[in-house]
DNA sequence: CAGCTGACAAATATTGAAATCTGTCAGCTG
DNA sequence: CAGCTGACAGATTTCAATATTTGTCAGCTG
């Protein structure tokens, strides 16, 4: 591939790693492949990432951050009605996952492997998403839309309750007919419970 | 092992298979092992179960039926308050799973493998549990405890929402401190949503 | 001399030949 | 003769030899 003679940065290595993962899948993507894609020796890659695991972890974090970034915009729109915002946020999360899984199942499977091997990064991602939910619910509690004893606890409950519509281990259910209705029924139930 | 010279029945084969699975685990349990445990040739086992897969499926069904049997008693206690009954039922389901996973993790892992390879049987089991939930919610709707447009839809939503506390793919979370509180928070939220 | 290379040891993965297992069935046995 | 046996073919698994990959580092190069 284009051994662009720009200086070698962590950023460029991450880009190349994503490409190699896309091409070869998680099992056969080696750091030698990544080096070759960049036109450098694999020793150079180890200058920027201490281990292969650290490299894969960084790729995983990047991928997850792209999702939480999108959702943050909804969480931060403090002017809108909290109940509608909560629905939108949950819907956006579900849609994002559903598209990732449906549009390119192989790539999704690749990232599922990566998230499985990087529990810590996933934990942080979940903490970030729960914090966004907490923000929406706290504002709803302030404006009287929601009546909850502890917004953080409620946020965690909502996040866990909707697991079936965002946890990759349920990905195969997301294409079944009727999931949309199931999702709506659950969100309705949860919003009623918070109100 | 005891080659009890009683006549060979499907029942006895299932018993022996459970024992072999307990001893050797799902990967190394062969039908020759089962036959040996019974003191017969493996050909005899094939007289009662067409394939090894059918045998494992029957064992899986048996295991799942033991759980749904216990829960059915709670679902059928029509005299008690539906909200309390719903809480009890969900708690019993969680406790049953938590104990199975915690008391003998290896055996639980074995059955997790079995359920993974028998999607159809698991599907029926889930349908049965959802039917029990529907019964509780329908009675609650009749008595005015619950206000739901469609009890079956609500039941499915409740079952899916509590997945984190009964789906084996979350088993490793069940020993973390604080799960009890998370469970209670979610059930409170759901019961409020139904009321 | 900062950054890269490539030879190297140790760890991990692949391969293919040998061993085991599944499922069948002709024939034995009580 | 109903039910069981055990030899068998094909499918699957195991295991050890072989090849690849990871991670290090002394030294090259611009």
């Amino acid at each position: 591939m284009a051994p662009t003679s720009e200086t070698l940065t962590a950023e460029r290595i991450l880009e190349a790693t994503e490409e190699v993962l896309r091409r070869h899948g998680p099992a056969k993507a080696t750091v030698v492949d990544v080096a070759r894609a960049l036109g450098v020796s694999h020793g150079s890659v180890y200058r920027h990432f201490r281990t292969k695991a650290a490299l894969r972890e960084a790729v995983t974090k990047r991928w997850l951050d792209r999702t939480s970034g999108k959702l943050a915009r909804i969480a931060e729109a403090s002017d809108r009605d909290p109940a509608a915002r909560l629905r939108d946020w949950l819907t956006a999360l579900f849609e994002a996952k559903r598209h990732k899984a449906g549009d390119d199942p192989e790539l999704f499977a690749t990232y599922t492997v990566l998230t499985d091997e990087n529990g810590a990064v996933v934990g942080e991602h979940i903490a970030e998403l729960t914090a966004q939910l907490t923000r929406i619910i706290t504002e709803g509690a302030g404006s009287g839309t929601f009546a909850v004893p502890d917004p953080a606890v409620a946020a965690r409950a909502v996040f866990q309750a909707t697991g079936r519509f965002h946890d990759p281990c349920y990905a195969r259910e997301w294409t079944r007919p009727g999931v949309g209705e199931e999702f709506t029924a659950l969100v309705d139930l949860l919003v009623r419970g918070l109100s």
Side-chain angles (χ1 to χ4, degrees), chain A:
Chain A
M1 306 298 121
T4 0
S5 55
E6 253 176 292
T7 53
L8 191 59
T9 63
E11 188 61 23
R12 283 186 64 221
I13 293 173
L14 289 175
E15 221 109 82
T17 307
E18 284 190 355
E19 179 57 20
V20 168
L21 281 165
R22 206 171 282 124
R23 274 220 163 74
H24 302 323
K28 300 201 170 169
T30 73
V31 354
V32 173
D33 290 332
V34 173
R36 187 167 30 235
L38 288 161
V40 300
S41 82
H42 74 282
S44 302
V45 173
Y46 281 98
R47 180 160 295 281
H48 292 85
F49 295 93
R50 270 208 315 305
T51 63
K52 183 190 187 184
L55 175 57
R56 291 172 79 121
E57 183 179 283
V59 170
T60 308
K61 184 162 166 28
R62 226 161 169 257
W63 188 67
L64 295 175
D65 284 352
R66 286 202 279 267
T67 299
S68 38
K70 270 182 222 156
L71 292 170
R73 299 215 210 106
I74 300 176
E76 285 159 10
S78 308
D79 48 315
R80 299 185 50 233
D81 169 48
R85 205 138 46 95
L86 177 60
R87 281 176 201 274
D88 283 357
W89 191 93
L90 290 171
T91 306
L93 178 56
F94 180 31
E95 285 299 296
K97 294 290 181 110
R98 182 150 62 157
H99 275 114
K100 272 184 190 162
D103 295 350
D104 188 343
E106 242 177 283
L107 186 59
F108 187 77
T110 291
Y111 278 107
T112 301
V113 171
L114 289 186
T115 53
D116 280 349
E117 66 191 31
N118 290 300
V121 170
V122 173
E124 283 164 37
H125 180 240
I126 290 174
E128 162 65 16
L129 293 184
T130 308
Q132 292 184 17
L133 265 181
T134 303
R135 171 163 183 174
I136 298 174
I137 294 175
T138 302
E139 289 173 13
S143 74
T145 314
F146 295 147
V148 292
D150 182 339
V153 168
R156 199 174 49 195
V158 169
F159 188 76
Q160 292 179 355
T162 50
R164 157 171 267 254
F165 303 103
H166 62 248
D167 195 316
C169 77
Y170 292 108
R172 79 203 111 85
E173 315 278 350
W174 300 339
T175 53
R176 284 190 354 195
V179 250
E181 285 67 35
E182 292 179 1
F183 175 76
T184 307
L186 178 52
V187 173
D188 285 350
L189 182 61
L190 293 172
V191 171
R192 279 193 61 184
L194 291 171
S195 301

